[in-house]
Amino acid sequence: MDLSELTHIAQAEVEHRLDRGMAAWGVPEPMTLEEWACKNFYLSAESSYVEQAWTPWTFQRAIMACISNDDIYEVDFKKSARVGYTKIILAAMGYFAEHKRRNQTIWQPTDDDAEDFVKSELDPMLRDVAVMKSVFPSYLSRHKDNTLQNKKFIGSITRVRGGKAAKNYRRFSADVALLDELSAFDADVEKEGSPYRLAAKRVEGATFPKIICGSTPKLKGFCLIDERYNA
C-alpha cells in the first residue's frame, strides 16, 4: 500500500469521526413520534408474536401524538392489558434518543423489572431499529456507555432504574421521565414521597419537560394510576 492510499484511508477515518462528533449539533427535520415509528420502529422477536415493522393502531396514534407534543407536560395512560403500551413507550424512547436528543429515565417497579426490561425490550430495540446505531456507537460493546442501567447516546443519555429505592431518583436531571406500571410502585418510596413526585423532580428545569405514566389499575382508592388519571 503506497503513501497516497494510506493518506486517503486516514482522511476518510478523520471525516467519519468528525461526522459522528458533529452529529450531536445537527438539527433534524421535525417529525412526530408516529411518523418516526412508522419509518423506523420494529417489533423484535424477543418481545413480539410476529417480528416485523410496526404500524400503530388507530387509538395508539392519539397517545403517541400527546407524547411527542412539546406543549403537553404530562401523559397518563390508564389501560387494560395487551394494548401495546410497552411498545409505545419503547418507540418513544428511541424517538427521544435519536430524533430529539433528550435525556430520559424510565422507572420500572423493581430492579428486577428494570433489568428484564433492558434485556427483553430495550436492547432488542437498539439492535433491530437500524437508525439507533447512528447515535449509539457503543452498541454491542462492553463499555461503560452501554450497561443495564445507562445507555449513552450521541447528545443524550437514557437511564433505566427500579422504582422502590429513593436513591434511584437522585443525582441526575432528565428531560423525559417515564413510569411504567405505576400502580405496582410503592405509594411512598422509603418515606420520601410518591414515585410520581420524585420522578417529576428530575425534569424540573428542562426546556421541554415530559412525564409519562402508564399502568393497569389496581385496588380502587389506593391505585397510583387512578390518582394521576383523576388529577
Side-chain angles (χ1 to χ4, degrees):
M1 187 176 293
D2 60 29
L3 181 60
S4 63
E5 289 177 310
L6 289 173
T7 302
H8 178 74
I9 292 172
Q11 182 179 354
E13 179 65 18
V14 169
E15 290 176 354
H16 170 71
R17 291 180 180 272
L18 282 173
D19 287 343
R20 193 172 74 178
M22 295 298 290
W25 287 275
V27 180
E29 183 179 347
M31 183 181 293
T32 66
L33 172 56
E34 182 190 351
E35 291 170 336
W36 185 92
C38 288
K39 181 179 180 181
N40 299 299
F41 193 53
Y42 191 82
L43 299 176
S44 300
E46 291 87 340
S47 58
S48 305
Y49 290 123
V50 180
E51 182 181 356
Q52 61 183 12
W54 189 67
T55 301
W57 294 332
T58 302
F59 74 89
Q60 292 173 334
R61 297 176 61 204
I63 299 165
M64 296 169 74
C66 293
I67 289 174
S68 60
N69 188 329
D70 287 339
D71 292 329
I72 296 176
Y73 166 70
E74 182 176 349
V75 179
D76 298 299
F77 186 19
K78 179 180 174 181
K79 66 183 185 67
S80 64
R82 314 302 297 176
V83 294
Y85 171 71
T86 299
K87 292 296 179 281
I88 291 174
I89 61 171
L90 195 62
M93 292 174 71
Y95 170 77
F96 283 123
E98 191 275 329
H99 183 68
K100 294 285 193 178
R101 309 290 174 91
R102 292 181 184 172
N103 298 323
Q104 54 190 322
T105 303
I106 181 168
W107 286 270
Q108 297 287 340
T110 67
D111 289 343
D112 286 344
D113 292 328
E115 182 175 329
D116 182 67
F117 174 80
V118 172
K119 291 179 178 179
S120 64
E121 300 282 357
L122 183 56
D123 279 347
M125 184 273 283
L126 295 174
R127 179 196 68 209
D128 294 336
V129 177
V131 73
M132 298 307 300
K133 294 176 179 59
S134 67
V135 293
F136 192 36
S138 299
Y139 174 71
L140 281 184
S141 64
R142 294 180 179 273
H143 196 279
K144 62 182 177 60
D145 293 339
N146 181 19
T147 68
L148 288 173
Q149 289 197 322
N150 300 302
K151 307 289 184 184
K152 188 174 182 181
F153 301 97
I154 293 176
S156 71
I157 186 170
T158 292
R159 297 178 174 89
V160 185
R161 298 289 188 269
K164 286 189 176 290
K167 67 179 183 179
N168 288 342
Y169 299 86
R170 298 187 190 127
R171 293 189 298 275
F172 60 83
S173 297
D175 302 294
V176 183
L178 304 102
L179 293 156
D180 191 15
E181 290 300 340
L182 177 62
S183 293
F185 285 63
D186 294 336
D188 190 351
V189 181
E190 296 186 327
K191 299 183 179 180
E192 294 195 15
S194 71
Y196 172 84
R197 188 180 69 82
L198 296 177
K201 277 287 183 183
R202 298 301 94 207
V203 299
E204 282 187 3
T207 304
F208 299 107
K210 176 81 66 175
I211 184 164
I212 302 164
C213 304
S215 183
T216 50
K218 293 199 172 183
L219 187 62
K220 188 174 182 179
F222 300 92
C223 178
L224 294 178
I225 194 61
D226 276 345
E227 181 181 315
R228 296 313 315 157
Y229 183 85
N230 293 333

